[in-house]
């Protein structure tokens, strides 16, 4: 992790750059997979699963008995922990389920919005070495709260043709039962176009490797909504002299272990904190099972010493981190300085792991600087807000003349006429 | 407008199809424009404006005196009408500016969200024959309410190098002063990449022709957010025997006059209403200045007779209209049947023109079936919702053990260690 001392403001843009990912060659491969699934549906899914996952799957849909068996395969401690996380995530996400009041903009004109769950949504849960059951909770709970009618979950099968029981347990616990054994770009294609077995959805959520990300990007161009653009995970920590170097190092590493392309940034106005964190980092790193991955991530990473905390927040807003940790006893007083961030962790006891798993906030967040223009996943992501209006005779009488003038000025005479006819009919009453 | 009587459910998907727009050839042209602006900035903008708008522009930025002069060029009636619309749009959009309560998910764990306006946003206002000052209000007012710090507005200059005074007046009235004389794909490019004169923004809003739409689609792929995917405008009207055929015809035409590619759909369980509307349509059409455009749009359009109102709503949800008008005295009783629509107009006095201009709701809505997965523009579109969390020592003690178990199950040991270190430090106190 390279240390930069008092870098000039001119260099901040460069210091905010993420590791570059080459993915031009992906376009052709992923387009091919999408085309194959669109044309041959289930047959294509089975062929691709054999090709990429090395397993022949007869029944793409996870059976009721597989779901029920999962419960006995997950240890009680983990089941209890998942239940705690579920409860907190539900509590926080329920606060997002707001209904706005009806607004009477003029006498006789009522306007309001109604939240309606997107009817069909798809959740992608990556496979690989670690079963991301936490992502099942983070995507599934807001989908359930939003009352999406059809929730489809896809996750790649392992070498035995199974999905990890913790994933099945978490899905079943929150009420998701349409689970399919398919991963990669072919899973995104299946949910975008539908197959004989896997239902088509209107919006697709979830993290994934570069094939999954590219597939989401491509299906978005054909009208399927996606949660947000993707990029490698990242954390930025702002520490003052009340920060704890051991905790800071642990938080940096818990981001760095996500992947070799992760990025971690430490900013401080205090040189001692930076130096002590470097030492703690080295020690903790040596004891880490995913040491190799974390070491690679640290190569993309930076410690930056700045003049004062104001500059630290200015840099952070330029960087727009996915996760922002305020390693300070006085974190709360800086909230108003934060303009660009996905999720903020205030104080020395608010570690990123808390939000990643169980405190209640969502862990699906904008990376790669997208915190400048995107929000993390929430109940909002799973609803459409439909506007309604009702005008009475009094209402159209009040507003009609203004509409007539504006429509005429925009040279839209049929728009005007729709009002004129109504106003005339009222004169005749 | 072709009439379909009791079409079989199998044909609904076909009946919901929008007119197809060929735009494959656009890719190359628009990519070229984007590249030119990215490379040569203001110089490119001026060249492209000369090429496409036929005018040489010295100062891309509209001057303070041009903005002030606009006020004297707009007639008092229109100024008053715009003021009424502004007030209603503000009243309704202010109801969207909600702040959620802090949620204590467990003792010592507080989670909340804070709305922060996207720092830099760009509004595109098309030119052409009609000056769309109404769109200035519809995009500008929520941007102001969201407290976006930098609001950039681009609109093409006319043959005299001017922007229509009604557009300048509306912009100034709501407090927007960074206005630039540039249209088409080059305007989108300018806002996406920034030039010497035109600031770069993080999210771009607004309607436009196929060049603008394609440019928005392309810049989205490089990380600039856009309001929503675009398509031709459309209305679907559900009428029962209490609907007024004259009003229905006027509403259909006010959509049809938007463009030759607009689509209008009438659905009813009552054959008389359909027949009477057809007659009224013919008569009103003959008197319309934009008759030619509306006639073309009616060629893409359909009247559909169905067995009952339940089927009408089912069809409408399949179609997912941008605008849905319930031409009925009993419209309110069907609200719960609506799952897919952009904006709903309830009852015989709620014409689409009301929402297009002045009732208070937004007129930037999802077209082309996107009402299945997108919402219209609102204050939400201009904010990011950042999550915050604060854990106390008590909070991490409560939740820590669950996080440790989950992190270990996902094989993320640095995540676990970030908690373990904190729990240990508390044992030592």
């Amino acid at each position: 992790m390279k240390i930069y001392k008092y870098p000039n403001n001119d260099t901040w843009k460069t210091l905010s750059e993420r590791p570059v990912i080459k993915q031009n060659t992906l376009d052709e491969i992923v387009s091919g997979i999408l085309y194959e699934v669109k044309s041959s549906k289930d047959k294509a899914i089975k062929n691709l699963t054999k090709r990429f996952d090395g397993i022949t799957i007869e029944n793409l849909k996870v059976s009721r008995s597989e779901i029920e068996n999962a419960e006995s395969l997950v240890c009680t401690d983990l089941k209890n922990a998942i239940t705690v996380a579920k409860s907190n995530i539900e509590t926080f996400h329920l606060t997002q389920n707001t209904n706005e009041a009806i607004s009477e903009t003029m006498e006789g004109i009522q306007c309001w919005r109604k939240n309606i769950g997107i009817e069909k949504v798809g959740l992608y849960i990556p496979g690989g070495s670690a079963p991301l059951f936490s992502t099942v909770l983070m995507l599934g709970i807001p989908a359930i709260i939003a009352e999406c009618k059809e929730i489809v979950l896809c996750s790649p099968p392992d070498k035995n043709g199974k999905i990890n029981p913790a994933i099945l347990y978490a899905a079943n616990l929150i009420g998701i039962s349409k689970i399919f054994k398919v991963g990669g770009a072919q899973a995104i294609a299946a949910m975008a176009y539908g197959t004989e077995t896997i239902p088509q959805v209107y919006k697709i959520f979830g993290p994934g490797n570069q094939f999954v990300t590219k597939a989401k990007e491509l299906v978005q161009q054909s009208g399927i909504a996606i949660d947000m653009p993707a990029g490698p995970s990242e954390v930025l920590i702002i520490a003052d002299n009340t920060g704890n170097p051991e905790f800071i190092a642990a938080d940096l590493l818990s981001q760095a272990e996500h992947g070799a392309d992760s990025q971690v940034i430490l900013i401080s106005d205090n040189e001692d904190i930076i130096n002590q964190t470097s030492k703690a980092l080295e020690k903790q790193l040596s004891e880490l099972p995913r040491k190799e991955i974390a070491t690679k991530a640290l190569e993309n990473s930076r410690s930056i010493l700045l003049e004062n905390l104001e500059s630290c927040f200015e840099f952070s807003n330029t960087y727009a981190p996915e996760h922002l940790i305020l390693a300070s006893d006085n974190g709360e007083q800086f909230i108003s300085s934060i303009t660009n961030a996905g999720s903020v962790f205030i104080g020395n006891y608010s570690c990123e792991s808390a939000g990643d798993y169980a405190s209640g906030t969502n862990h699906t967040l904008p990376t790669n600087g997208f915190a400048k223009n995107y929000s993390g996943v929430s109940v909002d992501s799973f609803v459409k807000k439909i506007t309604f209006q009702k005008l009475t005779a009094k209402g159209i009488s009040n507003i009609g003349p203004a509409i007539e003038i504006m429509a005429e000025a925009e040279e839209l005479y049929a728009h005007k006429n729709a009002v004129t006819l109504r106003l005339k009919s009222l004169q005749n009453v």
Side-chain angles (χ1 to χ4, degrees), chain A residues 255-291:
Chain A
Q255 190 57 53
E257 76 172 343
H258 266 300
D261 56 1
S262 289
Q263 189 174 61
V264 307
I265 308 270
L266 169 63
I267 310 187
S268 183
D269 61 347
N270 185 305
E271 196 164 354
D272 286 346
I273 290 282
I274 288 185
N275 294 335
Q276 288 170 40
T277 302
S278 286
K279 274 179 214 153
L281 202 60
E282 232 168 281
K283 189 175 150 284
Q284 290 181 27
L285 179 64
S286 68
E287 292 158 10
L288 209 63
R290 293 166 76 99
K291 183 164 52 176

Side-chain angles (χ1 to χ4, degrees), chain A residues 238-395:
Chain A
I238 297 178
D240 65 10
N241 60 352
T242 63
N244 179 320
E246 286 288 331
F247 296 176
I248 297 169
D251 291 343
L252 292 171
L253 285 175
S254 67
Q255 190 57 53
E257 76 172 343
H258 266 300
D261 56 1
S262 289
Q263 189 174 61
V264 307
I265 308 270
L266 169 63
I267 310 187
S268 183
D269 61 347
N270 185 305
E271 196 164 354
D272 286 346
I273 290 282
I274 288 185
N275 294 335
Q276 288 170 40
T277 302
S278 286
K279 274 179 214 153
L281 202 60
E282 232 168 281
K283 189 175 150 284
Q284 290 181 27
L285 179 64
S286 68
E287 292 158 10
L288 209 63
R290 293 166 76 99
K291 183 164 52 176
E292 226 170 288
I293 291 173
T295 304
K296 284 227 159 165
L298 289 174
E299 287 168 14
N300 308 320
S301 298
R302 296 163 192 137
S303 287
I304 304 172
L305 178 65
L306 294 173
E307 304 275 351
N308 49 48
L309 284 175
E310 200 180 282
S311 295
C312 294
F313 281 93
E314 218 179 298
F315 183 91
S316 175
N317 289 327
T318 304
Y319 185 83
E322 179 190 8
H323 305 97
L324 169 60
I325 298 176
L326 309 186
S328 163
D329 286 338
N330 315 306
E332 264 167 311
Q333 72 188 69
F334 298 106
I335 289 176
S336 63
S337 305
I338 299 164
T339 55
N340 295 320
S343 197
V344 183
F345 300 76
I346 301 167
N348 289 311
Y349 293 115
S350 304
C351 52
E352 192 199 307
S353 314
D356 284 344
Y357 286 111
S359 61
T361 58
N362 209 290
H363 77 195
T364 309
L365 295 165
T367 57
N368 202 31
F370 294 125
K372 286 180 180 160
N373 40 16
Y374 290 90
S375 308
V377 162
S378 69
V379 173
D380 303 340
S381 316
F382 290 90
V383 299
K384 302 156 302 180
K385 303 204 173 188
I386 302 182
T387 48
F388 287 83
Q389 65 198 282
K390 187 177 181 193
L391 281 74
T392 62
K394 179 77 186 168

Side-chain angles (χ1 to χ4, degrees), chain A residues 104-118:
Chain A
E104 185 156 73
T105 54
M106 285 179 112
E107 195 190 341
I109 306 179
Q110 292 188 319
C111 304
W112 68 97
R113 294 201 296 179
K114 189 179 163 191
N115 295 358
I116 295 182
I118 297 174

